[in-house]
């Protein structure tokens, strides 16, 4: 066994473990800065996965698989991004708009319970049974091997350098190796099994799916699985598993392939659906026609080249921790014992980028609550698209970590909500524009559903639409802005512009009826409610979207009249309020107190992150008030879900408190991270991975406040390191080397030729940097050299 003397580290007491690690560092030598090595970017384990949360994910944006690394029995649980059931359809409640005025009146009068009851009866959409429409597994590939006994030297990994998962072990003097990857170029999931001696591959291969209805047939050397979900109403799919052997024999028994005495085994899985009005059989034909002329080595080379075209854009180097020699699950478990493992941050950061590359590709669906990896027929929360933070968080790292193209599936998905969103705006609110509420799915419904405490939130489209402007700020892709970005932003802003109403008590504009996502307050009569007028988050989203829409209209030179209307409404919009205790108020009425003071959503800090409304340059009073909000939430048990912890990390990054970012990251690892590094909501949700990845980028580079701030929130535990390839708004690519907690040098490359303002350690300087040129700066921001 590799590192066998450390194999029980997760069971060692902290009073023994900490001194041992100290001994390793002092006696064996402190780790020195080294390049981002192939070994440092592997998740690796000494035993097979015993459950789904220990399996390792591979994906090509469309097909995903969880690799268990079994010995006698290997399981690949497979997903395809468009495998969705469709047992019903959410619809807008007829005549709902007739009740909005009455509900507003009740809310302005403080009659919250009455308003909420009326909203639930006359506005919320009729409920559908749970798991009505849900993302589902495509199925399982199971390989059962014969003749493997007395296993030694077991090892499995996920190599982030090349996006492959490998399992290897010895049995009776024979070395066995299996490699799995998902190719975006060749649209296939590939497994290759080899042995060090000829004729040693003996197994049974099965393709199946839980539930009833799938049809399995055999054609030549393929297993073919077909089905239409939801009794003909859901997606129709076809999956083909091609079995290729070198030497040996194959036969079919009960729709299973039996492989005997093969030297090598290769499996190639392709899948197609009718989700985009295609014929699944024709799609599979086209994929296989291309695959049939390619060798395994060529498919692997294609895959690695495409993947590394994204992954290699950013490198993060942190001196290897003493704990870096442990298996990944041992490193995670050690966090519960307080073991310092700074270089785990580099692995975790790059794993987050790997997940986005593997689950979100141009032309496909966006990453859902579980990315593309979900088991069974009824995954948690339908594995859908929650748009009251979760899907937005999935894409927080897309621009900063140099994966801008991978943002597009989300943006195109939101644009696709407009058709239904226009209808919902009319049916529910009686106004123009487009709206979406707290969640949606692959069928793009926009109605308010479920319960008032989460369903009565009409800001999902608006928040999502701010991402279009963020994408433009990083890329300045004017064609994108003109053809897609601005039209979506304008329609979302149009809805909000029409939705705003004057508060009779203040004369200021507010939204409503609405709520602060998933939180509730204590009503004056001692009950609880969620529905209000003008919750803080709504107003912060309005400012964020309006300012972006105004700027976009100026860039394009269009809609001057509409722009002026938004500018006027902004001057009359209710500001975020700070209460007597110094905290930003979640609801405009300070008398309203939280039912759950430690709630996982901290929605009234939207202005801190992801918006830039609160920042140290322009609004320090709100930054101080935001600190108090976070402290109060955490005192009451807040941040108890993985994604919430990720959001708090981003808050602290914006507050320039790197040590608190680190403290929350360690807590995330210790209590909200599975052995395979998946985020534990619980259960698994991928948004926490992406949120934490975004925060790690923000401790190194920030650009939301009109300047590039270098190492703005570097934790003390990361005194030395290097990063290259992070992106800043304005089209700047940033490299930094730091030593003893201070920047040593920074190289900034201009992709667009914009004016450059840089901040480091209190020094601010402006530069003119032509498109395509780079500057190398020292710690005083003095130019060492300029180069092409």
């Amino acid at each position: 066994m590799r590192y066998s003397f450390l194999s029980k580290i997760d069971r060692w007491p902290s009073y023994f473990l900490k001194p041992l690690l100290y001994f390793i560092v002092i006696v064996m030598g402190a780790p020195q800065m080294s390049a981002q090595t192939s070994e440092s970017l592997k998740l690796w384990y000494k035993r097979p996965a015993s459950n789904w949360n220990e399996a390792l994910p591979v994906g090509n944006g469309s097909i995903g698989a969880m690799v268990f690394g079994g010995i006698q029995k290997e399981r690949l649980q497979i997903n395809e991004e468009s495998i969705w059931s469709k047992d019903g359809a959410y619809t807008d409640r007829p005549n709902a708009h007739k009740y909005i005025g009455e509900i507003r009146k009740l809310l302005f009068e403080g009659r919250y319970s009455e308003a909420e009851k009326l909203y639930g009866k006359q506005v919320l959409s009729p409920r559908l049974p749970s798991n009505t429409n849900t993302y589902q597994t495509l199925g399982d590939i199971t390989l059962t091997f014969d003749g493997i006994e007395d296993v030694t030297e077991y090892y499995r990994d996920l190599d982030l350098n090349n996006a492959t998962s490998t399992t290897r072990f010895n049995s009776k003097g024979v070395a066995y190796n299996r490699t799995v990857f998902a190719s975006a170029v060749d649209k296939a999931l590939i497994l290759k099994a080899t042995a060090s001696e000829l004729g040693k591959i003996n197994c049974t291969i099965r393709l199946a799916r839980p539930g009833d209805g799938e049809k399995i047939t055999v054609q030549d050397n393929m297993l073919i699985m077909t089905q239409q979900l939801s009794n003909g109403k859901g997606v129709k799919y076809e999956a083909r598993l091609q079995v290729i052997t070198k030497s040996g024999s194959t036969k079919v028994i009960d729709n299973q392939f039996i492989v005997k005495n093969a030297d090598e085994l290769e499996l190639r899985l392709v899948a197609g659906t009718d989700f985009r009005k295609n014929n699944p059989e024709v799609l599979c034909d086209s994929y296989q026609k291309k695959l049939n002329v390619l060798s395994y080595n060529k498919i692997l080379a294609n895959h690695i080249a495409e993947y590394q075209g994204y992954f290699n854009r950013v490198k993060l180097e942190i001196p290897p921790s003493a704990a870096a020699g442990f298996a990944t699950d041992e490193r995670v478990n050690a966090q519960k014992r307080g073991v310092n493992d700074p270089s785990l941050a580099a692995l975790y950061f790059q794993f987050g980028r790997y997940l986005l590359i593997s689950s979100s590709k141009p032309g496909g669906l966006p990453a859902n609550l579980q990315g593309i990896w979900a088991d069974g027929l009824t995954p948690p929360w339908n594995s859908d698209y929650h748009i009251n933070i979760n899907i937005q968080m999935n894409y927080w790292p897309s621009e900063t970590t140099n994966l801008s193209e991978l943002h597009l599936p989300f943006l195109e998905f939101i644009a696709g909500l407009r058709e239904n969103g226009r209808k919902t705006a009319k049916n529910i609110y009686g106004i123009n524009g487009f709206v979406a509420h707290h969640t949606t799915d692959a069928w793009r419904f926009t109605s308010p559903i479920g319960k008032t405490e989460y369903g009565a939130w009409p800001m999902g489209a608006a928040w999502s639409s701010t991402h279009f402007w963020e994408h433009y700020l990083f890329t300045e892709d004017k064609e994108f802005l003109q053809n897609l970005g601005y039209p979506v932003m304008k329609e979302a802003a149009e809805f909000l512009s029409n939705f705003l109403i004057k508060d009779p008590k203040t004369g200021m504009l507010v939204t409503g009826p609405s709520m602060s996502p998933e939180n509730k307050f204590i009503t004056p009569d001692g009950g609880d409610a969620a529905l209000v007028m003008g919750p803080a988050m709504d107003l912060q989203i309005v400012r964020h979207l309006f300012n972006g829409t105004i700027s976009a209209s100026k860039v394009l030179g269009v809609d001057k009249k509409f722009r002026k209307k938004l500018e006027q409404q902004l001057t009359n919009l209710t500001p975020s309020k700070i209460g007597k205790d110094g905290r930003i108020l979640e609801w405009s009425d300070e008398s309203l107190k939280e039912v759950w003071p430690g709630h996982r959503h901290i929605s009234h800090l939207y202005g801190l992150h992801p918006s830039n409304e609160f920042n140290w340059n322009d609004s320090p009073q709100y930054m101080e008030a935001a600190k108090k909000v976070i402290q109060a939430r955490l005192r009451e048990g807040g941040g108890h879900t993985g994604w919430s912890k990720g959001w708090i990390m981003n808050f602290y990054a914006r507050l320039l408190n790197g040590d608190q970012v680190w403290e929350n990251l360690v807590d995330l690892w210790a209590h909200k991270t599975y052995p395979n590094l998946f985020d534990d909501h619980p259960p698994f949700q991928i948004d926490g991975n992406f949120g934490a990845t975004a925060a790690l980028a923000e401790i190194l580079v920030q650009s939301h406040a009109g300047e590039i701030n270098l190492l703005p929130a570097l934790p003390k535990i990361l005194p030395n390191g290097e990063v290259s390839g992070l992106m800043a708004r304005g089209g700047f690519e940033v490299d930094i080397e730091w030593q003893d907690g201070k920047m040593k040098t920074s190289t900034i490359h201009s992709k667009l030729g914009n004016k450059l303002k840089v901040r480091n350690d209190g020094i601010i300087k402006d530069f003119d940097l032509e498109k395509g040129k780079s500057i190398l700066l020292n710690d005083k921001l003095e130019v060492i050299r300029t180069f092409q």
Side-chain angles (χ1 to χ4, degrees):
M1 289 285 187
R2 187 177 183 183
Y3 300 104
S4 58
F5 80 101
L6 294 174
S7 62
K8 304 299 183 184
I9 185 175
D10 59 313
R11 301 178 189 175
W12 293 2
S14 58
Y15 65 79
F16 180 69
L17 183 59
K18 288 183 180 179
L20 174 67
L21 295 181
Y22 181 77
F23 172 82
I24 291 172
V25 173
I26 298 301
V27 176
M28 299 178 65
Q32 300 299 309
M33 176 61 66
S34 61
Q36 182 175 279
T37 66
S38 60
E39 292 302 313
S40 68
L41 289 179
K42 288 182 179 179
L43 285 67
W44 69 273
Y45 305 82
K46 302 173 185 176
R47 59 189 67 85
S50 62
N51 60 65
W52 195 89
N53 293 312
E54 295 180 0
L56 295 172
V58 297
N60 64 7
S62 175
I63 294 176
M66 296 296 287
V67 184
F68 282 68
I71 298 172
Q72 289 88 1
K73 186 176 183 178
E74 173 63 290
R75 178 192 177 197
L76 304 183
Q77 183 269 312
I78 322 157
N79 289 101
E80 198 280 343
E81 63 169 352
S82 61
I83 299 292
W84 274 83
S85 67
K86 190 178 184 182
D87 286 318
Y90 291 103
T91 58
D92 300 329
R93 188 177 290 277
N95 300 315
H97 64 278
K98 295 180 180 180
Y99 298 90
I100 296 299
E102 184 177 352
I103 292 167
R104 283 173 165 170
K105 181 175 182 294
L106 291 170
L107 292 173
F108 279 133
E109 292 173 357
R111 297 159 64 185
Y112 302 107
S113 298
E114 294 176 62
E116 194 152 306
K117 184 176 180 180
L118 183 60
Y119 189 100
K121 182 178 180 181
Q122 301 294 353
V123 179
L124 279 179
S125 296
R127 297 196 69 177
L128 295 176
S130 180
N131 300 114
T132 296
N133 301 327
T134 184
Y135 182 61
Q136 297 182 344
T137 183
L138 175 59
D140 285 359
I141 300 172
T142 306
L143 298 93
T144 304
F145 290 87
D146 298 326
I148 297 178
E149 299 172 349
D150 303 323
V151 170
T152 61
E153 299 181 62
Y154 178 89
Y155 171 90
R156 67 183 173 104
D157 71 23
L158 174 64
D159 189 342
L160 304 184
N161 297 282
N162 56 31
T164 61
S165 178
T166 298
T167 302
R168 65 175 184 259
F169 52 85
N170 288 347
S171 172
K172 297 180 179 180
V174 179
Y176 291 88
N177 190 92
R178 302 174 198 148
T179 300
V180 181
F181 62 92
S183 169
V185 178
D186 298 311
K187 298 179 172 56
L189 176 71
I190 307 294
L191 176 146
K192 185 167 187 179
T194 62
S196 61
E197 292 184 10
L198 300 179
K200 291 295 185 178
I201 305 294
N202 295 278
C203 65
T204 301
I205 303 163
R206 181 171 182 259
L207 178 64
R209 189 172 192 270
D212 300 319
E214 76 276 15
K215 180 182 178 182
I216 307 291
T217 58
V218 178
Q219 180 180 316
D220 299 325
N221 65 338
M222 288 188 300
L223 292 172
I224 301 175
M225 182 169 67
T226 58
Q227 185 180 6
Q228 183 157 16
L229 306 184
S230 307
N231 297 315
K233 294 178 288 185
V235 159
K236 181 180 180 181
Y237 71 82
E238 179 164 323
R240 298 181 186 178
L241 181 64
Q242 186 178 19
V243 179
I244 303 170
T245 60
K246 181 178 180 181
S247 300
S249 65
T250 60
K251 63 180 179 179
V252 177
I253 300 177
D254 296 331
N255 290 331
Q256 300 177 92
F257 271 94
I258 313 298
V259 176
K260 293 289 186 182
N261 304 321
D263 299 341
E264 296 180 357
L265 168 67
E266 184 184 345
L267 302 183
R268 300 179 176 186
L269 179 120
V270 298
T273 77
D274 66 353
F275 180 75
R276 297 180 180 87
K277 311 303 181 186
N278 294 310
N279 183 317
E281 182 179 359
V282 172
L283 283 177
C284 288
D285 282 342
S286 67
Y287 301 154
Q288 282 201 307
K289 183 178 180 181
K290 182 178 180 182
L291 280 172
N292 286 341
V293 299
L294 299 176
S295 68
Y296 169 83
N297 287 337
K298 180 59 176 174
I299 297 170
L300 178 61
N302 289 346
H303 159 67
I304 292 174
E306 185 271 344
Y307 168 77
Q308 291 183 343
Y310 292 109
F311 186 77
N312 287 353
R313 295 174 185 177
V314 173
K315 297 185 185 302
L316 175 59
E317 300 174 11
I318 294 172
S321 319
F326 304 163
T328 304
D329 52 343
E330 294 170 347
R331 296 177 76 179
V332 172
N333 285 336
Q335 296 305 298
K336 298 179 176 67
R337 291 163 169 76
V339 174
N340 286 335
D341 192 358
S343 64
L344 182 58
L347 178 66
Y348 190 82
F349 170 79
Q350 292 289 30
F351 180 63
R353 296 182 68 244
Y354 166 85
L355 291 176
L356 191 59
I357 296 167
S358 302
S359 63
S360 182
K361 288 286 175 64
L365 286 167
N368 61 42
L369 281 174
Q370 279 76 33
I372 54 172
W373 301 279
D375 196 10
L377 305 182
T378 57
W381 301 284
N382 303 325
S383 196
D384 64 14
Y385 301 106
H386 273 49
I387 52 176
N388 66 353
I389 186 171
N390 309 95
I391 193 171
Q392 291 93 337
M393 184 179 284
N394 284 1
Y395 288 90
W396 285 352
S398 60
E399 301 293 343
T400 54
T401 73
N402 214 337
L403 298 172
S404 185
E405 306 97 311
L406 307 188
H407 206 169
L408 294 174
F410 172 49
L411 301 178
E412 290 166 354
F413 180 80
I414 295 302
L417 292 179
R418 284 180 294 170
E419 182 177 354
N420 287 333
R422 294 170 191 137
K423 297 173 185 176
T424 298
K426 278 286 190 183
N427 295 336
I428 302 298
Y429 303 101
I431 56 179
N432 292 326
F434 97 102
V435 66
H437 292 79
H438 89 286
T439 193
T440 186
D441 61 22
W443 310 110
R444 293 174 170 82
F445 74 87
T446 52
S447 307
I449 67 165
K451 296 181 180 179
T452 307
E453 65 194 66
Y454 53 82
W457 187 71
M459 305 299 290
W463 182 350
S464 300
S465 295
T466 65
H467 278 245
F468 291 87
W469 183 241
E470 284 296 302
H471 181 69
Y472 176 79
L473 289 176
F474 281 89
T475 64
E476 293 193 6
D477 184 341
K478 198 168 181 178
E479 182 179 354
F480 159 85
L481 188 66
Q482 182 173 338
N483 295 333
L484 185 66
Y486 180 69
V488 177
M489 294 169 66
K490 181 184 176 183
E491 281 199 74
E494 182 182 13
F495 169 80
L496 291 183
S497 178
N498 294 324
F499 188 55
L500 291 171
I501 187 171
K502 186 180 292 186
D503 185 329
K505 294 180 182 177
T506 66
M508 302 290 286
L509 295 174
V510 294
T511 55
S514 187
M515 37 82 68
S516 193
E518 303 186 29
N519 205 358
K520 301 174 78 172
F521 55 86
I522 300 170
T523 59
D525 60 7
D528 60 63
L531 209 62
V532 291
M533 298 298 293
M537 185 190 216
D538 276 23
L539 302 172
Q540 292 165 18
I541 291 174
V542 170
R543 275 187 283 274
H544 195 188
L545 179 60
F546 277 18
N547 281 320
T549 306
I550 289 166
S551 296
S553 75
K554 290 178 179 178
V555 168
L556 297 175
V558 297
D559 293 327
K560 184 176 180 179
K561 183 177 180 181
F562 181 60
R563 182 199 317 161
K564 294 295 183 184
K565 180 183 180 183
L566 299 186
E567 290 171 339
Q568 182 61 43
Q569 287 181 310
L570 280 176
T571 64
N572 294 319
L573 189 67
T574 300
S576 295
K577 298 178 180 179
I578 298 175
K580 294 176 182 177
D581 63 359
R583 291 186 294 163
I584 296 169
L585 298 181
E586 188 163 2
W587 301 282
S588 296
D589 185 346
E590 190 166 4
S591 69
L592 302 179
K593 304 300 181 184
E594 306 106 315
V595 170
W596 302 295
H599 199 269
R600 60 194 176 278
H601 285 260
I602 313 180
S603 303
H604 43 316
L605 295 193
Y606 176 95
L608 175 61
H609 186 281
S611 176
N612 63 349
E613 180 180 345
F614 308 152
N615 62 77
W616 287 113
N617 293 345
D618 303 322
S619 48
Q621 73 278 19
Y622 283 107
M623 302 296 275
E624 296 294 342
K627 286 184 189 177
K628 294 182 179 179
V629 170
I630 301 169
Q631 291 164 357
R633 273 287 208 269
L634 293 178
R635 276 198 308 270
E636 298 292 338
H640 52 275
T641 66
W643 66 261
S644 182
K645 188 66 68 177
W647 199 5
I648 289 168
M649 288 173 61
N650 282 277
F651 289 151
Y652 275 122
R654 290 284 173 93
L655 290 169
L656 309 184
N657 191 332
D659 291 335
Q660 280 298 321
V661 175
W662 186 261
E663 181 178 312
N664 280 274
L665 176 60
V666 170
D667 192 55
L668 179 69
W669 289 338
H671 303 293
K672 295 297 174 185
T673 299
Y674 287 113
N676 62 2
L677 295 189
F678 270 172
D679 170 68
D680 177 14
H681 175 281
F684 164 55
Q685 270 188 203
I686 205 166
D687 40 20
N689 288 102
F690 292 136
T693 299
L696 287 170
E698 289 254 333
I699 68 173
L700 302 174
V701 176
Q702 294 181 20
S703 62
H704 61 282
E707 61 191 23
I708 296 178
N709 195 347
L710 304 175
L711 303 181
L714 186 69
K716 293 184 182 69
I717 200 168
L718 302 178
N720 305 308
E722 295 180 30
V723 68
S724 62
L726 292 179
M727 293 302 299
R729 292 163 183 84
F732 297 101
E733 188 169 313
V734 182
D735 304 348
I736 310 171
E737 180 183 358
W738 67 95
Q739 197 171 70
D740 298 326
K742 300 288 185 181
M743 185 191 96
K744 185 178 179 182
T745 61
S746 176
T747 300
I748 300 178
H749 173 71
S750 177
K751 292 186 173 183
L752 302 172
N754 287 312
K755 288 188 178 295
L756 172 64
K757 177 180 283 190
V758 183
R759 176 191 290 265
N760 176 57
D761 201 20
I763 302 170
I764 304 173
K765 289 192 176 181
D766 295 300
F767 303 91
D768 288 317
L769 193 58
E770 295 178 12
K771 181 178 179 179
K773 289 198 172 181
S774 303
I775 53 171
L776 176 63
L777 304 173
N778 65 16
D779 62 325
K780 304 297 183 184
L781 299 185
E782 298 165 337
V783 178
I784 299 173
R785 65 188 178 102
T786 302
F787 56 96
Q788 195 73 29

